[in-house]
Structure formats: structure tokens, C-alpha cells
Amino acid sequence: MKLKKHNHIELIALAMLLLCFNSCVESFEYESKDFEKLIIINAVITDEVKQQEVHITNTTPIDEHYVSPETNATVIVKDDSQNQYTFTEIEPGKYMSQSSFGALEGNKYSLHVQTSNGRKYYSKQVSLISNKKPVSIIPKRIVNDDGIIGVDLLANSYDETNNSKYYKYEYEESYKIIAPLWVLQDLVPNPNTPSGVTYHLYAKETEQETCYSTVNSNAIIQTNTINLTEDRVEDFSVRFIPITDMMIAHRYSILVKQYVQSRDAYAYYEKIKESIEVPGNLFSQAQAGFVQGNMLSETNINENVIGFFEVSTVVSDRIFFNFEDVFENDTPPKYDCPKIAPLIFEGIGDYPLVSFLTSGFKFLSLNDENPGDDEGPFILVPPACGDCTVLGNAEVPNFWIE
Amino acid sequence: MKKYLLVIFLVLITIEVKSQSTQRVFSFDYSNKTLEQIFIDLEELTLHKFYFFNDWFNKDLKSGSFKDKTLEYILNSLLSDTTINFYITEDKRVILTKNSAIYNFLPDSFSINKEKPLEQIDSTIVAEKKEQLPVFFDDNRANKAASIRTIRIGKANAEQKREKYTLVGTVNSFKSQKPLSDVTVKVIGSSKGSVTDKDGVFSLELPLGESMIEIQSLGYEKIVGKVFIYSDGEASFDLREDSQLLDEVIVEAGVDKNVKETVTGLTKIDVSEIKTIPLVLGERDILKVATTMPGISKAGEGSTGYNVRGGKEDQNLILLDDAVIYNPTHFFGLFSALNPFTIGEVNIYKGNIPAEYGGRLSSVFDLKTKKPNKTKFSGEASIGPVTSNVSLEIPIIKEKSSLLIGGRGAYSNWVLKALDDKKISKSSASFYDFIAKYDHEINENNNLSVTGYLSNDDFSISSDSLFSYKNKLVSLKWKSIINDKNTGSLQLKSSSYLFDILYDGEAVNDFKLGYDLNETELKLKVNYLIDDDLELDYGLTGKLYNINPGNIEPFGSKSIISNIKLPKERALETAAFISGKYDVNEDLAFNAGIRYVNYSFLGEISQRTYVDGAPKSTGTINETLFYDKNEVVKSYGGPEARVSARYFIAPSVSIKASYNNMYQFIHTLSNNTTASPIDTWKLSDLNIKPQKSQQYSFGVFANFNDNLYEVSLEGYYKKMNNVLDYKVGADLLLNETLETEVLQGKGKAYGLEFFLKKSKGKLNGWLSYTYSKSLLKLDSPFPEEVVNKGEYFPANFDKPHDLSLISNYKFTKRFSGSMNFVYQTGRPVTYPVGSYYQGGQEIVVYSDRNKFRIPDYYRLDLSFNVEGNHKIEKLAHSFWNISVYNVLGRNNPYSVFFVNEDGEIKAKQSSIFSIPIPTITYNLKF
């Protein structure tokens, strides 16, 4: 009897302990204290010959979410062969080189910025690393650690010269959207008719069945091969998409850019990334602090300057796949498209059908099979079910291949 | 008529016996039995228990019978022709005592009245005889068992002119017949008295005629004697050892130690005292109790190490039977890895550290295991919700050698696995520790003891990683009493700490990462007692470090991780020390020592030099130097002073002051705000300098109300140099050029510690309060090596106010309640000062380190204790503890951090025990 009691208590205590270990992390309202406005200067000059970009912004208080651009700055990239590339502001905080150029191996580059109020910043000298090696992307169906089925987009690259070692990825993903309950006609109400509201069915004038959407990556994705016997990136997961994501329901394409970084640049972004990630475990919290990049202030050496000036080789790979190419035996995700048949008139000033139509609901069909008492004459579906432009753009992207 | 000039009469006085049992009468016969057999029969018949030694009796056979006689009568007659006396107690025990000094006769001539004419004496003899033999003596002043003797010296005569005569006496131990020294002899009713010398001799002037004297010594029965003195004379007295009938003797040794000791900043923990303290999850934890003492704290509940007087976690020398334990905790520091049943003594030096210890800046935790019982098998066991614990003390050769073993294991892992929750079942944790100590008394002067210890922890937070760490140590100690003045000890000890990280995600980058450290030390120490006032300790010690700073190897067939093994690091730390304790007078005492330490970092290894005038980075390596095996790469060291003094300003009030400086050659590497078990230890090398410190401390210590209350106030100021810190986001594992990530700066710490303790009474416990600051300064000509603009900033564990109240109230002997209350200032954290977008993702910017603090910490724990009943015959003694940890359910944040969730920054706080945690523990002592 007694032993049983022990077990019971022990279970409760442990359960509580574990409960705590797993869920004693909670959000709290944080008030921004001591806001310091700092400048952020970021640029990646690639080996591609193009108009290169430099981004200059400022920090904002932590509880405010907007971009605070640094405008009207003078931006120059210099190399050690006495070349100077001047940048002009094309939109607030975004500066583009007046001429096209690409970073060359053997040259040392530095960035020089002077703000409109006279503060001067400069970068340490950086140079291009190694020769270019191609990257290939492979989609693969997996079940991840959390038991979720999805597609992993895996990067593979090999540098037999063993020079690259540090890699950063950016991607741009595009996908086809098909409105599942698309019909030819639109139902259009005319509230100005003298005898109340009249409804017309018109043929759709724009493409609403098939659309496309393109999204850019917004995370810092990096890997390295320093602990490996060869400089081989093998099946590195650049992106994971769960099977339930509508993105991959039909056809999907991803363009992955692989940048080769310097050790310092890699370390800088790694630290930035760590500073916003959930700590490895509850018991040890990484020491937070200011992450120093390679941008420095000429006017005030005590000023904290954020950002990194990189030169990098870049390679890319674009792939396309259909849902069934990756998921042979799985069912594709579907939109939830409930059908409704709102009444035309429900009381003085209350026209449910008009309300639904103006909020974007789409016509599906006539409600002609024994409509109930509270049903109207037309069947409607939620906007995305009948019109793909709600989610994307009807124009076929120029890179798109069916 | 015979004339005796000097006769000594020793008359035994039988003892008054009033107990009722003696009024009962018994009848019995005996034939051809020895006295021993007769007593055994009597035990049965009278239901009294007899106490005696068999060899007191001869084997003569006796026969006889008694009818309706009292026990007293029976015994009197049985023992009439022996030298044995008896005493019957009220609780039906008969105690026999052997007394060889019984004289059953009276002298032919004696007088009790000097006025009486000599001629009359003969006629009075008979009368006196009746009066005197036996004399029943009823005197409250005398102990129940006190013997009254009458001594007559000389004889009275009319011509006596002197008023005083001298009695020279000898006092011997009854048992051994050896003279007893320092026995007090008092004349009752006067202030006169004397003390025996080393030959047991005393001399006392007594007035002519009758006097009462009292002879008394600790541990012996008191003798009261009636002396009739008519001339100078001699007498001898035998003192018997105190019988068992005395009340329990409570020897309060060392109650005033805190005031008397010369050393400052010493914390002692009475291991037997802590069992009533409320527990978290049933684990009795010696080191957690230590954190309730002034000056000792922890960064938080889940932090692995301890912070002593503003020192970092790696600055404590934690010794178990003199061997170092690198990580004395289980489960991220929630539990200590020391089995509480096996620890006998805990001394924590945080101020003046004795010269025999060195190598850590802040403290020495000197933990000693119990000396196992050499006569009786005994043990202790406990059942708690997290672990079960057993310890046994096993005599091997009676009175000569014994073994102590203790084992503790957590059974959480299977419960964890059994729980039907994906998230929980993914993580696991289990641990155990084992300790064994063998103690051998080789002879009177030599003692050998061996201790072995192992602790192991496994934990995993995700399904594909497994962490484990281990402490191992062996310590061998040979202690020898060389002569009256010199005691020596030779110690050989070896400690290891290792951890592994296994990553098994069935991928190409699966790996196994390992780290291990070993140190082996040989130490010789001699204690030389010059005289009562001066004592010297001196010795030599040598320690060899061997560290594998990390290796990684592929795990599984798919893995293409390359084998990397950082080169082994070796170093030798040697030291010579001498320290003396000198009592100048009763009030003033000094304890001064010096330790000269030398440290050499040894090859075979390669080391890098860096370009001057540039921050250390892989890009600024000047040259790489190679050193051969055992070649000295770099030596550090110097003298360390350990000085302290004590002065009594009042009988129980003392002031103390001390100064010491220290070196530390091994450091932990951690880029977390709190210490964790996978922090690596790094030796000082060509580029990483040893840490140094200097501490000044001062204190006032007082005891009052008969040592019932103990109070102290201590202050300290500590300066540190070359304290290690790291660049933000430093990569510390498997980094061969670690010096490029390390910053070394200055530290300073100061504080005031108040301690009040009541150790006895129904309500007992202690209150400790510390006000302290611990600051760091990291400055450099290079901006990337500067933290907080080169100004002093609070260390991660800086908690200015720290208050602990530990109390226990005994309702009855069996039931008691305990309460802990802890309050601490929240520890410093670094908050973001702004944010920006990087490629669509919001990033936070942190500015000055440790500028803000997490909310204050407070916690109340309660416990209720039930002792099993105290019957002596009971086979085992049980103890229940019902505890509720964090009764108020205070959600004390352990850390505060900022994460990016869906592209937006969210502030989060984590806590470890945010709800009240009840536990029941059952302890058993046998």
C-alpha cells in the first residue's frame, strides 16, 4: 500500500517538474528601455556583374516594427586597384551602384559611407573567396523530428579545392495557385435598381483560376563544412515545407542562391541568428551582447555600428516540382471551401447576399435543388476558393516552366 | 593498651537504599552454585537485572537458603565475604561494584572526641561501633552513589597545641591504580582546597579535629570524606569511574569556535542539522544549504556552479576527501552530486584560505566523508520521488577497519519515457552517484583511508542528441603520528571530469564529441606542535593536469564528419607551503602562512604568437611555435600570502582580519550567462594568463546567552585580475585558437555579511544577509575586445541583496516544522535597446551588458518532519519529511530572452519551479 502511494506522489511531482521544464517559458510585455538609435550598414557585393546594392537603415525601439531608412548618404565602394564605385539612393535606405560591376578575385574591397549629418563609417577590407562551385537542390519527402510530413529542399555542393567552407543561402520560392471552385461567371449585384437589388451573372473578365506567388526567404540560413573531411555540402536543408502547406499543392519552384562567405562574415551572421533564437535549453542562456560586424565609425570610435560588408561568389539553382512528384502516395492539401446560400433580404436594410458578395465571396452556382427556408437562390464560396488573385498574381512569371 | 601514633582507618560506608523493591521479600535455595550462577537465578526470581563482571567472582561453590528476605539482605549476606558492594536502583537494576579498599574492622583505639580522656576511650568503642558501623548517611549534597569515608589521623591528646595539621593525600584511579592528576580536593564549608599533581598527590591544611572534604574529578565518582585529624598524616583515596547512572552528558565542544578561530570567512555546515530543511523533490542537499550561508550564492536554480564572495563558478576548489570534484551537481545543478548520508563534515573557506590549499581564487569547499563505524553495522536509506539512496557502514575487522558505501540513483528516466506526451518523452534525464571509503587503523599511530567516487549524468533535450557527464575520483590518504609533536599525512589523489555529446539524427553530420580532464596530485603535509601556543603546518604538493580539450568523430555509417582531435594539454602545478598558528596571549592570535606556487604549461603542443598592436584573431597570427614533449611552454607563479589575526575585545567577542592572494591556472570556458555541465576547463598557456586575486577581510564575531546565539558581521574587498570572459557568440568547443575568443579583464567584489544563528532550543535556525557587489571590466585598445565601453559592469551572478532565513520548530521530540525563506535581487541581464530588419526578419540589438535585472527572486518553503519513535530496541529509526517547495508559487524568472517569432521579436522569461512542489521522502536509519 505504502509503496503505491510513493509511486503516485512521485508521478505527480515528476509530471509537474516536466510540465515546468517544457512550458515554463512564457511571454511577457516588454517595455522598451533606453532606446539607442544605431546605424545598420549591410552589403553583399557579388562576383556577378550587375548594379550592386548597399542597404543603410537605423534601429527602431523594440516595441515598434518599422524600417527606419538612412537617407541621403554618400556611399562608395573602393578596391585596392584604385577603382571607386559610387552608389545612389534608389529608394529610401537602398543604394545602387551607378555602374555595373562584379567583385574580382584578388582585389580587396572596402565600403565608405557618410551620412547626411556628417558621420563617417568604413568597413574593414574584404576579399573574394575561392572559385565558384555549382549548387544543386533536391526536394525530398521526409518526416521531421516533430513527426510532421513535408518536403525538405536539400542543397548539395562540392568544392574539391577545399576553399569554400562557409555557406549562406537565400531563396525565392514561387508556386502555382489554383482556385478550386472557380466558375466562368461572376455574380454582380446592382443595388441601385428601383425595385430593390437585382443580380446579374457576367463572364469573368480577368484570369481568376490559376495564379502564381513569389516569396523571398527572410531567415539567416548558413552551413559550414569545417568539421568534415571534404568541403561537401550534402543534403543541407535550406527549406522545409509541411505537406499541409497550400504552396506545394500544385506546382512549386524555388531559386536557391548559395553565397560563399568569409569566416568572419559567417561568424557574424551566426551570432546574429543566435541572438534571436530560442536558447538550446532552459538551463543555459547564451550571453547576449552587441554583435560587432566589420563596419566601424570613423567619427566616434565608441559608436556601435551594426552590419557587415561582404564580397562573395554566388551560384544558384532553380527547380520545379509538382505535388505528386514528391508525394507519391499522399493526398494534396485542400482549401476549406464551405458553401453558403445567403438570403437576399432578411429585414430592413439587411441584405446578406450583397454583404457577402462585397466582402469577396464568389459565385459558384444556382441554389436550385430544393432550397431551404433560410437559404437564398445562389451558392457562394469564400474568396480564395473562387478567385486565385486573392492569394497571388495571375501573371505567369517569366521563369516559370510547366 | 596499644598506642597507635598513626593509623589509617578506611571504613566503607554502605549505601542508603530506599527503593520499594527492596521491601519485597524472596525465598530461595541454592546448592553448589557459583556466585555468578546464583545471581543469574536471582535475576529471574527478583526480576532485577544484575550488572557485574564474571571475573570478580571465584569459582567457589556455595549452598544455602533464604526465607522471606529482602533482596538487600540476600545480597548482603551473599557478598559478605567478598570485596563486592552492591547498589539497587529504583528501576530494578542491581549494580555490583568491586572495592578492594574495604576495611571491616575498627582500630583498637580511636577517639571521636578530643575532650574525652584517654581512659574513657575503651568504654566508648562499643558505642561508637554501633553508631558508626554501618553508617547510614543521608546527605543531599552527596550523590546517590557517593561514598563517605571517615579518616582518622593521629589521636587526640590533651597536650595538643597546634591548631592545624597537614594531610598529604594520594588519589588513584580505582580501576588502574594509577595516580590521578588535576583532581580537586575541597574542604566543605570553607574556601580551602587543593589539586593533585601529576603523581596524584595533594596536601591540605586542616584544622584540628573534624573536617569534611570532597574529592572530585570529571569522569569519576565524587568522594566525601570525614577527616578527624590530630597530627600530620597521609591518606590515599581511590576514585571510581562514574557509573552509567549519571544523566546523559552533553559535551559541547567547539560551541565558541566561531569566535575563537583565527581564520576569517569560514562556513561550517552541520550535516546532521540539515535533515529537517525543506527539500526540493526530496533531495537533501548539502551544497544547497551552503547557499543559504552569507557570501555563497548561485546564479539561479538551474545553474551548475556556486559563486562565493563575488567569484565566478570556476573559482571554487571543491574537495571530497581532498580530491577535486569538478562538477558537484546533477541535472544542471538542481541537485548536488554528493550523497548526504556519507558526508560527515563540511568546511567552506571563503576568506582566509589555509596555505595548504591553492589553485582557485574564491573558496575551498572541504568536504569529508564520514569515518565509517568500526564496531557496528549500520546504514541509512531514503526513498524520494526522484532518487533512492542507500548508504552502509560495514566493519571489516572489528575496531580496525571498516567500509562506507553509498549509492544514489534517479529513476526519472523510465517515468519520463512512460509519460504519454511527445514533447516530454523526447527529453530524458537520469543520474547516479556512488561512493566508497575504506578506513584502516594500521596501528595506534597509522591510519590509511581510500575513497572512490563516481557520478554520472545523462540528459537529452531533443530526440537526436544525448549529453552525458561524469566525475571520477580516487583519493588515498596515509596519516601517521610521527611522535608527540609531529603528525604527517601523505595523500595521492586523482580526479577526472568528462563529458560527451552524441548527435544521432541519422544524417551525414552525426557526431560524437568528447572532452576529458584529469588531474593527479601528490601531497605531503606535516603538522608540528611546538608548544601550546605555536603550531606549524608545512608541506609540498605537486599536481599534473592532462586535458583532452575536445575530439569529434563521425557517428554512424552515413556520417562524413571528420575526426578532429585537439592536441592534449598538460601542465604541472607545484607548491610548497608553511603556515603557523601562534597564540600571543589569550586574546591575540595569529595565523600566518605562505605558499609558493609554480605552474608550467608543458608540451608537446603548438602555440601561436600574435601580431602586436592588433586584436588576437586567426588573421593576426604571427607565428606558430612547436614545443617538444615535457618542454616548458610557459611558467607562471609566485608567492601567496595567507595571513589572519584574531583579538578578543570582550570574553565572547572577537575581531578578526585577514589578507590573502591567490593564483588560478585552470578556467572554465562558457559563453552562457550561467555555468553549465558542458563548459570546458582550459589551462593557462602561452596566451591565456592565470587569474589572480587579493582579498582583504574584516569581521566581528560574538556569542551570547551561553553560546546559544552566534552572531557575526564580516566585510571583504576582493580584487581580481585576468578574469576570463568571451567575445559575444564565441565558439568555444573544438576551437584550437581559443585565445582569439577570450577576453581577460579585471574584477572587483566587495560585500558585507551578517549571520545570526540559534543552534539550540525549540526554535532554532539561522538568518543570513549579504550585501555584495561583483563587477567586471573588459577594456582594450581594440573596439571588438571592449565590453560596456571599458567600464566596470555587474557580473552575471551579481545579486546585491541576498537574505536567507532557515528555521526549525520542534513541537515535540518527534514532530517538527521547518521554514525557509529566500530573497535575492534579480540577477543582471542584457536587454535589447533596439531592433531592425535584416532581409525581412526582425533582429534585436543588445547594448551594454548586464544593464538591467530580472525581477527579484523570493521563495518560501515549508516542511513537516516526523521522527519514528525513539525506542532503543527498535531495529531501525525512521524519518518522514513532507516538503512543499515554493509554497507561494512565485514564478521566479531564471532568465529573460528575446526570440523572433513569425518575424517579430517577443520577450520571454523562463522559470524552473514556478509552482509549489510537494514531496514526501522517507528515510530509514539502521
Side-chain angles (χ1 to χ4, degrees), chain B residues 850-862:
Chain B
N850 291 346
K851 194 168 184 178
F852 305 100
R853 288 184 181 273
I854 60 175
D856 288 353
Y857 180 100
Y858 62 83
R859 198 189 76 227
L860 178 75
D861 312 328
L862 294 175

Side-chain angles (χ1 to χ4, degrees), chain A residues 177-223:
Chain A
I177 303 157
I178 298 171
L181 298 174
W182 173 87
V183 289
L184 264 173
Q185 298 98 349
D186 265 339
L187 183 69
V188 183
N190 186 355
N192 301 325
T193 38
S195 56
V197 188
T198 58
Y199 297 86
H200 302 277
L201 280 173
Y202 294 111
K204 281 179 179 164
E205 285 167 1
T206 56
E207 170 61 42
Q208 291 186 359
E209 187 182 13
T210 306
C211 302
Y212 302 86
S213 179
T214 296
V215 192
N216 288 319
S217 57
N218 64 2
I220 297 165
I221 307 160
Q222 298 190 120
T223 189

Side-chain angles (χ1 to χ4, degrees), chain A residues 2-3 5-7 9-22 24-30 32-38 40 42 57-67 124 140 145-147 168 217-220 226-230 232 234-235 263-264 267-269 271-292 296 301-302 304 306-307, chain B residues 281 302 331-332 334 383-385 411-412 414-416 419 422-424 426-427 461 463-464 508 552 560-564 618 671-674 676 728-730 734-735 741 783-784 789 796 827 829-852 880 891 894-900 904-920 922:
Chain A
K2 267 182 182 163
L3 193 71
K5 202 170 173 187
H6 274 303
N7 281 336
I9 291 158
E10 161 192 315
L11 265 167
I12 292 171
L14 253 172
M16 285 192 301
L17 176 74
L18 293 167
L19 194 85
C20 205
F21 284 171
N22 284 276
C24 282
V25 173
E26 54 187 31
S27 295
F28 72 99
E29 275 305 308
Y30 171 73
S32 187
K33 299 170 186 171
D34 289 28
F35 168 64
E36 280 177 48
K37 190 172 175 181
L38 302 175
I40 304 118
N42 272 317
T57 54
N58 291 293
T59 57
T60 56
I62 188 152
D63 41 4
E64 289 170 31
H65 309 283
Y66 63 92
V67 178
K124 293 183 183 171
K140 194 182 167 194
D145 267 0
D146 301 320
K168 183 171 97 174
S217 57
N218 64 2
I220 297 165
I226 44 166
N227 287 334
L228 304 182
T229 38
E230 37 185 32
R232 185 188 290 280
E234 194 172 287
D235 288 351
R263 184 182 178 274
D264 290 348
Y268 172 77
Y269 284 107
K271 289 169 196 173
I272 294 270
K273 193 171 131 189
E274 277 166 13
S275 71
I276 51 164
E277 272 179 355
V278 185
N281 69 66
L282 180 56
F283 296 99
S284 54
Q285 183 192 9
Q287 175 70 62
F290 180 75
V291 182
Q292 179 75 50
L296 300 164
I301 57 158
N302 279 332
N304 284 334
I306 301 162
Chain B
L281 295 163
F331 208 59
F332 302 95
L334 287 187
I383 302 165
Y411 30 71
S412 55
W414 67 264
V415 187
L416 247 126
L419 291 174
K422 247 184 218 147
K423 240 182 169 178
I424 293 170
K426 249 203 241 171
S427 44
I461 292 142
S463 60
D464 47 18
V508 290
I552 186 165
I560 60 159
I561 292 278
S562 60
N563 256 309
I564 296 175
T618 45
N671 47 15
N672 287 328
T673 51
T674 54
S676 94
V728 171
L734 291 174
N735 188 341
E741 305 277 21
E784 54 263 71
K789 302 182 175 66
N796 286 327
R827 72 184 171 88
V829 281
T830 309
Y831 274 166
V833 285
S835 66
Y836 65 96
Y837 284 88
Q838 162 98 40
Q841 188 177 23
E842 197 177 5
I843 309 281
V844 285
V845 182
Y846 293 92
S847 176
D848 285 354
R849 198 193 281 189
N850 291 346
K851 194 168 184 178
F852 305 100
W880 287 89
N891 191 353
Y894 173 65
S895 63
V896 171
F897 52 92
F898 294 82
V899 292
N900 188 314
E904 219 177 75
I905 294 298
K906 296 247 166 71
K908 302 265 177 185
Q909 63 178 37
S910 71
S911 49
I912 292 179
F913 297 112
S914 59
I915 46 170
I917 299 194
T919 359
I920 295 184
Y922 178 66

Side-chain angles (χ1 to χ4, degrees), chain A residues 294-308:
Chain A
N294 65 353
M295 295 301 307
L296 300 164
S297 168
E298 215 174 301
T299 13
N300 172 11
I301 57 158
N302 279 332
E303 184 183 343
N304 284 334
V305 184
I306 301 162
F308 211 94

